Each structure stands twice: as C-alpha cells, then as structure tokens.
Amino acid sequence: MPSEQRVAVITGGARGIGLGIARELQREGWRLVLNGVRDESAVADALDELAALGPRPHYVAADVGTDAGRQAIITQTMGACGRIDALVNNAGITSPGRKDILEADEESFDRVLATNLKGPFFLTQLAACEMIRQHAGDAGFRGKVVFISSISGEFVSTNRGDYSITKAALAMVTKLWAARLAEDGIDVYEVSPGVIRSDMTTGVEANYDRLIADGLTLERRWGEPADVGKAVAMLLRGDLPYATGQTLHIDGGMRVRRM
C-alpha cells in the first residue's frame, strides 16, 4: 500500500557503507527500499536487523548496471511505496583482480563503469522524473539525490584504474544533476568517503592499519559505515540548505596536506 512516509532508495544498501546509511535513515523514520544483486534470502540478516528499528525495508534484487535492473528498482519502489523522496547512489564494485593498468582488460573495465558510473547516472534520471512529478503536485516537495564516491577519485591507484575513474567522474555527475534539477526542487550532493571499514576493504586491513598509524589520516582510526551514514542522514534531513552540488569529505582529514 503506497504511503506518505518519506521514502529513500539506497543501492547496495544491505552491506558495508550502504547498510550504515540504512541504519541511520531507519532510525530517523524513513521508509527504505534497498537494492542489491544478491537474492533476498542472502540479505535476510540485514533486513531483520533494520526491521528491529522500524518498518521492514523493501528489497529489490537487481543489477543497477543494467537498464532492466534500474527499471525494476523504480517500478518496485513506486509499486510498494508510491513515491520517492531520496535516492542514495551507493552501489559499487572494486576493480576485479586489481590489475595493473598495463594489464587491465576491457571486460572488467566495462563492468566497473556500468555499475559505478552508468548505473547511478541513469538511475538518477529515472528517479528524478518521479521526483519532478511529485514536485509538480506539491510545491513544498524537496527531493534529494546523493552520490557516494570515494577518496579513490583523487588518490591514484594504478591497480584500480577503472574504479578510480568512475569515482572521479561522480564529482562531475553530481554537478550536472545539481544544475539540471535545482529548478525542480531537488538537491544533489556528493559524499566522498575515505578509508572505511567494510567488506570491500577486508583484504587490505593490515596495509591500512599501518598507513593510518603512520599518519595517513588526521584522525588515527578507520572510518566506519556509520560515519558516512550520519553524513547522508544530515543531508536528507535538509540540515545543509543552500548547498546543492557540494561535496562532503568523510575521510578523517585524509585530504589535508601537511608539511
């Protein structure tokens, strides 16, 4: 049954940073639609955890890198909730095999770009059309779109060239959509995390433990999914007005240059 409760769609929302965002929004009373590529049975623990904090999220198993997957996310969201108030483009994959760019292959490159760049660009297009219709019927409606990028959009990793390219490109994607959607009452932001503890960083924990201890970040600790979640929740609440198109760096001071 469609609801007037605020609805947030989070891609990649059942693990890592996406789950950290979902936890914060669930506590604040959002109706959640989570997307991932795994079957719903594989994310049951995450859904059960969130259901203990509020209404059980609606889950859409779909590949955001495909047109059919993106259509499924929007169609199911509108069918289950009747509206979209916020879209958090969080889903992403790292570079398969972390190959040196001299050995990178086109198949992996295309896969990373489809998930990390084409997916959020065109999912935003679909969600924005729904938000524009909502704004036309309610002048007080203010939609939100957030792109989750990465420190890797600025710090070079030659064994993850495709991943770095997609995250750098999201900075421009944010500005493009902010410029296009401002007249329709839709705010667009980029949130750029630093080193965040998640399943994506599991295999490199020892390396980052050393780097952080040696001063990689001003705050000598790992970032946690909750750090990103709190930033996104703040944006969706509207606590940062007059700032569409801006980037929040959630990185413990990693970008601060020192002498």
Side-chain angles (χ1 to χ4, degrees), residues 38-258:
R38 293 177 292 169
D39 185 79
E40 184 168 347
S41 62
V43 301
D45 288 349
L47 297 178
D48 289 344
E49 175 195 338
L50 293 168
L53 301 172
R56 188 178 184 84
H58 182 77
Y59 182 75
V60 183
D63 183 354
V64 73
T66 67
D67 177 64
R70 294 187 292 273
Q71 294 286 348
I73 293 168
I74 300 303
T75 298
Q76 291 194 38
T77 297
M78 296 306 294
C81 306
R83 60 187 293 132
I84 301 174
D85 296 82
L87 169 63
V88 181
N89 289 294
N90 167 74
I93 60 172
T94 192
S95 184
R98 293 176 176 259
K99 296 179 180 179
D100 185 284
I101 55 176
L102 286 172
E103 302 170 351
D105 61 87
E106 291 190 37
E107 182 179 357
S108 294
F109 189 93
D110 289 344
R111 180 183 170 196
V112 173
L113 263 67
T115 301
N116 295 8
L117 183 57
K118 186 173 83 169
F121 182 93
F122 285 104
L123 183 62
T124 297
Q125 183 185 73
L126 292 174
C129 288
E130 296 294 345
M131 292 182 188
I132 289 169
R133 281 191 279 271
Q134 290 166 215
H135 180 66
D138 175 7
F141 173 83
R142 194 151 197 96
K144 309 288 182 185
V145 177
V146 177
F147 293 94
I148 306 299
S149 60
S150 170
I151 191 79
S152 293
E154 298 177 46
F155 283 49
V156 170
S157 297
T158 57
N159 64 339
R160 293 188 302 152
D162 42 14
Y163 180 80
S164 296
I165 288 168
T166 61
K167 294 304 182 178
L170 287 179
M172 178 54 71
V173 169
T174 299
K175 293 177 176 63
L176 286 166
W177 282 116
R180 178 59 185 85
L181 298 177
E183 65 188 70
D184 297 300
I186 302 170
D187 298 318
V188 184
Y189 305 98
E190 176 190 6
V191 172
S192 182
V195 181
I196 307 296
R197 194 185 307 277
S198 71
D199 54 298
M200 191 176 286
T201 54
T202 298
V204 290
E205 281 189 10
N207 182 50
Y208 280 118
D209 283 343
R210 176 182 56 78
L211 291 171
I212 291 169
D214 289 343
L216 177 67
T217 55
L218 299 184
E219 295 185 42
R220 302 293 179 92
R221 69 170 178 88
W222 280 77
E224 300 293 341
D227 296 321
V228 182
K230 292 179 189 301
V232 172
M234 180 265 295
L235 292 173
L236 299 197
R237 282 196 306 268
D239 289 354
L240 193 66
Y242 204 55
T244 190
Q246 301 302 305
T247 302
L248 282 183
H249 300 293
I250 311 301
D251 62 4
M254 187 173 172
R255 289 172 173 83
V256 177
R257 295 184 176 182
R258 289 156 286 172

